[in-house]
Amino acid sequence: MSDRRSALVIGGGIAGLQASIDLARVGLDVYLIERKPRMGGHTSLLCKIFPTLETAEELVEPILQSVTEHPNIKIFSHSEIEGVEGSVRNFKVRVLKKARYVDEEKCTACGECEKVCPVNVAKDYEMGLATRKAIYLPSPFPVPPKYLIDRENCLYFKDRSCHACRDACPENAIVYEQKAVDEKLKADVIVVATGFRHYDARKAGQYKYGIYRNVITGMEYERLCNPNGPTDGKIVRVSDGAKPKSVAFILCVGSREEENHGYCCRVGCSNALKHAYLLRGQYGEEVDVYICYTDMRAVGRRAEEFYRRTRESQVNFIHSEPSEVRELPDKSLTLDVYDQATSKLLSITADLVVLETALEPETGLQEKFRLPLDVNGFFKEAHPKLATTETPVKGIFLAGTVEQPMDISETVAHASAAAMKAFILAYQKR
């Protein structure tokens, strides 16, 4: 191993972080590309991790620190893959590092620019309950921990009518003229860890997501539970901030359906159990809790135990898919459910309806990497049993939920396996 080899890892979520640190520790130079200006992916937005109930910060922070401090890893955040050429041991990748309009070397993250910005922008993952400025420090886990300007909402870029942030910056770090930079990288192997996106709940029209404010998604519920979220960790009605008297969780929204995705998302049941448990922990039996499920699949270590604990906490489990959600004058919601276990038609009134949505793969780079997709739209592995981290394109590997739905522990293990396969191929004799 006299000559050094390199790896390109795409995606700064938990899979990309794990693959990067594993590759760096065995001696490869690693280029980690993340399109957002922060790291940690979906995992970093969670409140608690199932089933240990440790905080997301406790889980993500140590691995992120290892990645950012490792000398073999170079991070390109707020960056996009523009093109890929070549083959194994000779991949040539063009990366566009987008302009931040803030000089990273000069910025001290003092926040003076943010204080004077007149623009308020809704945070995309906070249900409109929290806002940020047009110049902002990304959260959570910004890398680097420096400010940047949201060009789309900044008044300077709209009509040149404002330059308050430039005037307020004590370090003269605001650079409106900053341009995007093209980086040309070479890599022996590539690991794709672009993760997943949540199914658009608006497509399930019967639940009125996006129409009724008190219909939210499981990820938005995570933010309500989070002490760093828009309600300081209080689970409340979105419409008025009031304490809920009743909450209904609906599983398999967008999954296990012929018209959407036929596969199981693998995490919806666990998330609903956790969400109900956190609700009980906050309000005890003062709140009625309903879980409407297709099949309750408690998969993974300690999952069955957690399921039993949740049942014992007087959560109502209803084996059925609800009908249309309707809004009452007081903004509470009502829905009818035919319980298959009791053969009874039930009517539920809830202050919050939480939709546990399917996971869809982020496969926007498919054409650039010439990777095939499987019948469910995930990147196709070389073999469904023997080579789940390898692709039909030699030298390109898959890590985490780009290959299939996984929970966090499965994702981390899969990423480490991908890193090991990539390491072996990088140093394999030609």
Side-chain angles (χ1 to χ4, degrees):
M1 299 185 186
S2 57
D3 57 330
R4 293 182 68 85
R5 303 296 168 86
S6 60
L8 183 84
V9 178
I10 307 169
I14 198 70
L17 294 174
Q18 185 64 50
S20 295
I21 194 61
D22 286 342
L23 287 164
R25 284 171 175 167
V26 292
L28 273 75
D29 291 323
V30 178
Y31 304 109
L32 174 56
I33 315 298
E34 168 54 48
R35 63 186 175 88
K36 293 183 178 180
R38 65 174 189 86
M39 294 288 176
H42 290 91
T43 301
S44 66
L45 299 178
L46 301 178
C47 174
K48 301 285 187 180
I49 306 300
F50 180 90
T52 61
L53 296 184
E54 65 185 304
T55 67
E57 183 175 329
E58 291 172 337
L59 185 76
V60 175
E61 194 167 29
I63 186 173
L64 179 58
Q65 184 176 356
S66 296
V67 167
T68 55
E69 293 178 355
H70 203 288
N72 289 359
I73 300 175
K74 184 174 183 180
I75 298 174
F76 294 83
S77 64
H78 200 43
S79 300
E80 300 270 7
I81 301 292
E82 289 291 290
V84 182
E85 298 177 350
S87 57
V88 60
R89 301 189 192 89
N90 191 33
F91 287 112
K92 298 175 182 177
V93 183
R94 185 161 61 88
V95 176
L96 182 69
K97 187 175 182 181
K98 292 178 281 189
R100 301 175 68 97
Y101 309 107
V102 174
D103 188 322
E104 293 179 17
E105 298 297 324
K106 292 181 178 180
C107 178
T108 62
C110 66
E112 293 300 317
C113 55
E114 187 176 24
K115 292 177 183 177
V116 299
C117 178
V119 178
N120 289 306
V121 182
K123 288 186 178 179
D124 57 357
Y125 56 85
E126 302 282 30
M127 302 164 292
L129 292 180
T131 60
R132 61 165 172 81
K133 296 297 185 177
I135 186 166
Y136 67 106
L137 184 67
S139 64
F141 303 115
V143 176
K146 308 287 184 178
Y147 277 78
L148 76 156
I149 294 177
D150 172 4
R151 182 187 176 107
E152 184 177 344
N153 290 290
C154 176
L155 296 179
Y156 178 86
F157 290 103
K158 285 186 175 182
D159 55 16
R160 301 295 194 269
S161 63
C162 177
H163 44 78
C165 60
R166 184 176 62 187
D167 295 342
C169 180
E171 305 298 331
N172 295 317
I174 307 302
V175 187
Y176 296 128
E177 302 79 19
Q178 192 179 72
K179 304 295 183 183
V181 177
D182 263 323
E183 298 275 358
K184 293 180 174 61
L185 306 176
K186 285 187 176 182
D188 293 282
V189 290
I190 295 174
V191 177
V192 180
T194 47
F196 68 91
R197 61 179 179 270
H198 284 278
Y199 172 78
D200 184 355
R202 288 171 294 189
K203 295 179 181 178
Q206 70 271 31
Y207 299 135
K208 301 298 191 294
Y209 175 75
I211 298 174
Y212 301 154
R213 290 200 72 196
N214 290 321
V215 178
I216 64 176
T217 66
M219 181 57 75
E220 292 167 339
Y221 184 88
E222 291 278 353
R223 301 306 300 164
L224 290 180
C225 297
N226 199 309
N228 298 318
T231 59
D232 298 323
K234 282 292 184 182
I235 302 169
V236 297
R237 293 206 327 172
V238 175
S239 62
D240 57 7
K243 171 186 170 182
K245 298 176 182 177
S246 176
V247 178
F249 299 91
I250 302 177
L251 275 61
C252 299
V253 177
S255 62
R256 303 193 63 201
E257 301 171 345
E258 289 185 8
E259 62 271 25
N260 293 306
H261 303 302
Y263 55 85
C264 173
C265 75
R266 293 184 63 84
V267 298
C269 293
S270 299
N271 285 339
L273 294 174
K274 178 185 69 174
H275 292 161
Y277 189 84
L278 293 175
L279 184 64
R280 275 281 180 260
Q282 189 164 130
Y283 294 120
E285 295 185 11
E286 297 175 17
V287 177
D288 293 326
V289 187
Y290 302 90
I291 294 180
C292 303
Y293 66 96
T294 305
D295 289 302
M296 185 55 63
R297 297 180 171 180
V299 180
R301 182 179 295 178
R302 294 177 57 187
E304 187 66 30
E305 173 195 346
F306 202 101
Y307 176 36
R308 288 197 300 269
R309 286 164 58 192
T310 306
R311 290 194 74 97
E312 291 167 0
S313 67
Q314 304 303 310
V315 170
N316 300 289
F317 286 82
I318 304 173
H319 187 190
S320 186
E321 179 181 335
S323 64
E324 182 180 22
V325 173
R326 303 178 298 277
E327 189 177 68
L328 300 175
D330 66 353
K331 301 301 180 182
S332 61
L333 307 160
T334 181
L335 53 155
D336 297 326
V337 188
Y338 180 76
D339 188 353
Q340 297 178 26
T342 62
S343 298
K344 292 181 179 180
L345 181 64
L346 307 176
S347 181
I348 297 173
T349 299
D351 289 307
L352 276 179
V353 170
V354 183
L355 309 179
E356 306 290 0
T357 53
L359 308 187
E360 298 178 329
E362 283 283 8
T363 55
L365 295 176
Q366 179 199 3
E367 292 185 4
K368 290 184 174 67
F369 287 98
R370 303 180 297 279
L371 294 174
L373 303 180
D374 67 12
V375 294
N376 292 320
F378 292 82
F379 282 128
K380 186 176 179 62
E381 67 283 284
H383 190 282
K385 296 295 184 183
L386 304 178
T388 64
T389 62
E390 299 168 57
T391 71
V393 179
K394 190 174 183 181
I396 300 181
F397 299 84
L398 305 175
T401 51
V402 293
E403 190 262 334
Q404 67 172 6
M406 302 179 189
D407 65 17
I408 294 173
S409 60
E410 292 171 322
T411 296
V412 171
H414 196 256
S416 290
M420 180 54 67
K421 288 289 186 73
F423 166 70
I424 291 171
L425 183 59
Y427 281 105
Q428 197 174 60
K429 292 184 179 179
R430 292 173 172 80

